[in-house]
Amino acid sequence: MSDPTSAHLRPASPGFQLPQRSVGLKLLVVCALALLMAIPSLFVYGMVRERSMGAQAATSAVSQAVGGNQTALGPVIAVPYSWAPDPKHPDRIEYALAYTYAETGSISVDATVTERTRSIHKIPVFDAQTTFSAEFDPEALRNALPADASPIWQSARLYMGISDARGLQDDLNVIVNGKPAAMEPISTQHVENQTAYRDKPHYSGLALAGTALPQLETLTAPLKVTANTRFTGAEHLTFPPFAKDTSVNLSSNWNDPSFQGSVLPKEHTAGNTTTDGFTASWRVPYIARGVAGSGTDLRLDELTSYGAQTMGVRFMVDVSPYQSVERALKYSIMFVGFVFLAYFLFEVSSSGRAHPAQYVLVGLTQTIFYILLLALAERIGFDFSFLIAASMTVALTSLYAMSVFRSRAYGLRAFGILTGIYGLVYVLMRAEDHALLAGAFASFAAIAITMYMTRNIDWYSSRPSAPTS
């Protein structure tokens, strides 16, 4: 019978053995832990998306009450006409509309912006006092009619529109050649003289109002139209080029506009810190507009459709905290990797050792940073929130490094390195256009420093070799 204690006296069997406390093995473990930190980052990403949807719901609720994103269309003239498409059957009559746009048109807008609060979200709401001016050439419309057309002059109409009529605070006060004209709302079932037109006024998302234009048939002098109205909306305010040559002048008390549409303003004072609010002016000449001045095959939605030369502004509160945090989360693995590399370099250059569980705690601290940032930014703004969340995270992680490696010097080193890392985080959050460039160079620098610091390490041993001069 064999001695049961003899097993302890037997030499170890030959073969592969996993290095005990190998520096190389530790680096592989640290890299694996950095990748595992992607899991809590995904949960934070889901939280950001959920909060962003809540902000969108709040904006939608306020928009429904005040009119939402508003597009206002200046005066346009439409004349119905009849024609016989088949000369062999003159009794078969069809009806259509001929449009003419103003020769020149201008819009003057004074937009007062306030903030509405819904839950914890602030939504910019504007109150726009707007004046339209237009001058039409009646001869241009008569020339646009087909030769065999029979114009129905008594049904000629002047149309104006707004994307959401619920935002109108005053009626459209229209003056045509010095005389007031009463505007009437046009329903989607609008039919003139009980006839079915081939082309009704095309709404393109606009609520139209119209008024009759008497004596248009015999008018030879220019037709001058002015209109005043006041309407509210949220976030976006847009104007299509309703005339052949259209100018827009806008002033507002808001300090942070973002110019939208296909045409940027020729002049603006946005960003001028010496004045409150801003002014902006646009102009779209006839050729640049890309839409004929009159004709029978025109559509009002050509002025507001995708690619149209619209002029507009978005009243912004600030860069969305959700967008900034979401952008930074895309680089979360890189940031955790930077912190883990710093701890690993501390470990191989000191007598202290960090357990994998301690790496996990450090990684979770970086994840909680994003939650802190998101929660604070919703209430006090992004910049101040980042300062608070980053300071808390850097301080905690640096103190933890001091405890793990039992050295105040390593705590101070961690503080300096982490401050640089979170400075990079801020750059990536704010500088969207340069985020990839900054991230690429930072990653290269981190790897280069790690390679330099570990150039003398014996990766199979538990201790680094003495550095060479």
Side-chain angles (χ1 to χ4, degrees):
M1 181 179 296
S2 61
D3 184 358
T5 62
S6 61
H8 297 283
L9 303 177
R10 294 172 185 169
S13 59
F16 174 78
Q17 293 186 0
L18 191 65
Q20 299 298 312
R21 300 186 66 186
S22 165
V23 178
L25 179 61
K26 186 61 172 287
L27 179 59
L28 294 177
V29 172
V30 169
C31 292
L33 291 176
L35 291 175
L36 286 175
M37 286 297 102
I39 297 175
S41 296
L42 290 175
F43 287 103
V44 177
Y45 181 82
M47 185 184 304
V48 173
R49 299 295 294 174
E50 180 182 357
R51 302 297 292 183
S52 178
M53 292 175 63
Q56 292 176 3
T59 301
S60 177
V62 172
S63 297
Q64 289 180 4
V66 300
N69 300 334
Q70 291 284 29
T71 298
L73 176 68
V76 177
I77 294 177
V79 176
Y81 64 93
S82 62
W83 62 301
D86 188 352
K88 297 181 179 180
H89 301 279
D91 56 330
R92 296 180 181 177
I93 304 299
E94 291 190 10
Y95 298 87
L97 290 173
Y99 290 101
T100 187
Y101 298 110
E103 298 296 310
T104 59
S106 64
I107 307 172
S108 177
V109 188
D110 184 8
T112 302
V113 184
T114 57
E115 289 183 342
R116 296 280 183 91
T117 300
R118 176 62 63 96
S119 182
I120 62 172
H121 306 288
K122 295 181 179 180
I123 298 93
V125 172
F126 60 83
D127 188 323
Q129 186 70 46
T130 308
T131 299
F132 298 89
S133 298
E135 185 173 297
F136 293 87
D137 180 8
E139 192 65 27
L141 177 59
R142 289 192 284 267
N143 292 337
L145 291 167
D148 57 347
S150 298
I152 308 174
W153 293 109
Q154 66 272 21
S155 295
R157 291 290 184 268
L158 177 76
Y159 291 111
M160 297 183 65
I162 187 171
S163 54
D164 194 333
R166 292 176 298 178
L168 285 172
Q169 303 300 301
D170 292 327
D171 287 334
L172 283 167
N173 300 312
V174 179
I175 305 295
V176 179
N177 279 350
K179 296 181 180 180
M183 300 290 284
E184 297 289 340
I186 306 299
S187 71
T188 56
Q189 303 298 323
H190 178 63
V191 177
E192 296 281 1
N193 289 344
Q194 306 301 316
T195 60
Y197 293 126
R198 180 188 64 187
D199 293 314
K200 300 174 186 175
H202 293 284
Y203 294 89
S204 62
L206 296 176
L208 293 180
T211 186
L213 289 176
Q215 300 179 346
L216 187 60
E217 179 182 6
T218 58
L219 189 65
T220 57
L223 183 71
K224 297 182 179 180
V225 179
T226 60
N228 295 283
T229 189
R230 173 172 162 254
F231 58 89
T232 60
E235 287 198 306
H236 288 85
L237 176 60
T238 305
F239 297 96
F242 70 94
K244 292 181 180 179
D245 192 310
T246 308
S247 299
V248 177
N249 294 290
L250 185 148
S251 62
S252 174
N253 64 326
W254 195 249
N255 291 321
D256 190 19
S258 174
F259 299 112
Q260 308 284 305
S262 302
V263 179
L264 295 177
K266 295 175 56 180
E267 298 178 352
H268 68 83
T269 60
N272 188 344
T273 57
T274 62
T275 59
D276 292 332
F278 74 96
T279 60
S281 60
W282 292 260
R283 178 172 176 256
V284 177
Y286 185 25
I287 299 300
R289 189 176 81 141
V291 178
S294 59
T296 59
D297 57 349
L298 302 181
R299 300 169 57 95
L300 296 185
D301 54 11
E302 290 180 299
L303 300 178
T304 57
S305 60
Y306 178 79
Q309 302 297 307
T310 55
M311 300 158 281
V313 62
R314 177 188 177 194
F315 302 102
M316 302 173 62
V317 175
D318 196 356
V319 175
S320 169
Y322 310 107
Q323 181 181 358
S324 297
V325 176
E326 184 176 328
R327 187 183 307 133
L329 278 170
K330 297 176 182 178
Y331 298 88
S332 62
I333 299 302
M334 183 180 71
F335 294 136
V336 173
F338 286 169
V339 177
F340 280 11
L341 277 177
Y343 264 66
F344 175 77
L345 293 177
F346 294 159
E347 185 174 351
V348 299
S349 61
S350 71
S351 59
R353 290 293 177 265
H355 191 274
Q358 293 174 308
Y359 280 94
V360 171
L361 289 175
V362 171
L364 291 176
T365 303
Q366 314 312 310
T367 302
I368 293 174
F369 159 75
Y370 295 107
I371 301 176
L372 281 171
L373 177 61
L374 179 62
L376 291 171
E378 288 183 326
R379 290 167 170 80
I380 62 175
F382 180 82
D383 292 331
F384 193 45
S385 299
F386 184 91
L387 179 62
I388 295 175
S391 298
M392 293 172 61
T393 307
V394 169
L396 176 61
T397 312
S398 300
L399 290 172
Y400 195 56
M402 185 185 304
S403 174
V404 170
F405 301 109
R406 298 177 178 85
S407 171
R408 182 177 298 178
Y410 283 102
L412 293 175
R413 291 178 188 178
F415 180 82
I417 293 173
L418 293 173
T419 300
I421 291 175
Y422 278 88
L424 175 62
V425 173
Y426 183 82
V427 170
L428 294 184
M429 285 182 169
R430 282 305 202 188
E432 180 179 4
D433 294 336
H434 306 290
L436 180 59
L437 182 64
F441 276 99
S443 299
F444 181 84
I447 294 299
I449 292 172
T450 303
M451 293 172 69
Y452 176 79
M453 295 292 294
T454 60
R455 68 193 185 282
N456 297 317
I457 288 179
D458 181 1
W459 294 103
Y460 291 99
S461 69
S462 61
R463 301 278 183 178
S465 302
T468 59
S469 57

